[in-house]
Amino acid sequence: MKAVKFFIVIFLSIHFSTHAQSSKVSNRYSNDSLNAKANQLKRLYKLATSSSTGVSNIYKRQFFDAFPNTFKQLDELYGDNNDINNKPSLLNNQAEDHIIHLFNELTTINDTLYYKKIISIAKNGHWDADAINFFQHGLEQKVLKKPILVVYILKNMSDDNIYGFWHFYFDQPYPDKQVVEPLQKIKSINNKIYDLMIKAHNEILKQDK
């Protein structure tokens, strides 16, 4: 019996040791990958904003492709406090330049590709100051400019993702009490998307009380 207990203890020790080592390797890989992505974005931003027009457009497209595709990636790279020590993310100091002055202002990217990316980022997001707010401001302008395109993309997504997108869209410290007129037009285009939009807006208003 003692021998059995001994082998169980040995097995558990090996298991937890292997798991801990695996986690360390995973975290190291994640950090290395994040550092590489941050360096890539800094390099492409510099090239996109300092090159001649024709060449600049090539780098703008590369910057767009390298820009995060999810809210998690956006927050990890540009967010305010993104580690256990509450230190800013790797590109926090570059957030205004990268997001406001470049990403939000890109005009050389196909509209459908651009809108798919910003919707993909927004669907699992939540409001935060600075970088996230910068992105959300650009998102709002794009949505109001082309609500029909937004509906076209959203209609192929799950209800949860549609709701999540609108929840992020309206999520801010002082949300508007009414849904603005351009968005009201969605009701005549797609009832389901309109209803999920209203549901998300109402939920944000409840949180604001």
Side-chain angles (χ1 to χ4, degrees):
M1 188 66 179
K2 289 182 178 179
V4 173
K5 288 183 178 179
F6 174 77
F7 283 117
I8 290 174
V9 170
I10 294 295
F11 171 78
L12 291 174
S13 297
I14 293 172
H15 173 75
F16 286 115
S17 175
T18 302
H19 178 73
Q21 290 176 2
S22 176
S23 295
K24 288 180 180 178
V25 170
S26 177
N27 288 338
R28 185 166 67 248
Y29 174 79
S30 178
N31 289 335
D32 289 346
S33 178
L34 209 59
N35 280 320
K37 175 66 72 173
N39 289 332
Q40 179 188 25
L41 285 164
K42 283 193 285 189
R43 179 178 64 83
L44 291 172
Y45 171 82
K46 184 176 181 180
L47 291 168
T49 55
S50 63
S51 303
S52 59
T53 303
V55 177
S56 173
N57 288 339
I58 294 172
Y59 290 124
K60 285 178 180 178
R61 174 56 193 259
Q62 291 179 8
F63 179 88
F64 171 81
D65 290 339
F67 196 80
N69 288 310
T70 66
F71 181 83
K72 182 176 182 292
Q73 293 172 355
L74 181 71
D75 196 33
E76 285 178 342
L77 284 165
Y78 292 100
D80 278 345
N81 299 304
N82 212 41
D83 68 7
I84 58 175
N85 297 315
N86 287 327
K87 292 181 180 179
S89 299
L90 292 169
L91 296 177
N92 183 256
N93 290 333
Q94 287 79 34
E96 184 173 348
D97 285 337
H98 285 202
I99 299 174
I100 293 181
H101 300 305
L102 184 52
F103 184 79
N104 289 355
E105 297 297 323
L106 288 172
T107 58
T108 58
I109 308 299
N110 173 272
D111 283 343
T112 301
L113 288 177
Y114 189 94
Y115 276 67
K116 280 183 176 180
K117 181 182 278 274
I118 61 176
I119 288 171
S120 175
I121 295 170
K123 67 183 180 182
N124 293 312
H126 58 80
W127 184 88
D128 202 354
D130 298 330
I132 305 303
N133 184 55
F134 300 156
F135 170 78
Q136 189 193 54
H137 179 69
L139 173 78
E140 182 180 8
Q141 290 181 323
K142 298 294 184 182
V143 170
L144 294 178
K145 187 176 181 180
K146 296 195 174 183
I148 294 176
L149 179 55
V150 172
V151 171
Y152 171 77
I153 296 169
L154 289 178
K155 71 180 182 179
N156 296 313
M157 297 170 64
S158 69
D159 289 4
D160 286 346
N161 282 335
I162 296 171
Y163 174 82
F165 166 77
W166 289 117
H167 194 275
F168 174 75
Y169 178 89
F170 293 117
D171 189 15
Q172 52 186 282
Y174 305 101
D176 293 332
K177 301 301 181 184
Q178 302 293 329
V179 174
V180 295
E181 192 272 335
L183 297 183
Q184 293 289 352
K185 295 178 180 178
I186 291 175
K187 186 174 184 179
S188 64
I189 304 171
N190 190 301
N191 270 322
K192 184 180 79 169
I193 292 174
Y194 177 81
D195 289 344
L196 289 167
M197 176 184 71
I198 296 301
K199 180 181 177 182
H201 182 250
N202 288 338
E203 182 62 29
I204 292 296
L205 292 181
K206 287 179 185 177
Q207 295 176 8
D208 189 48
K209 291 181 179 179

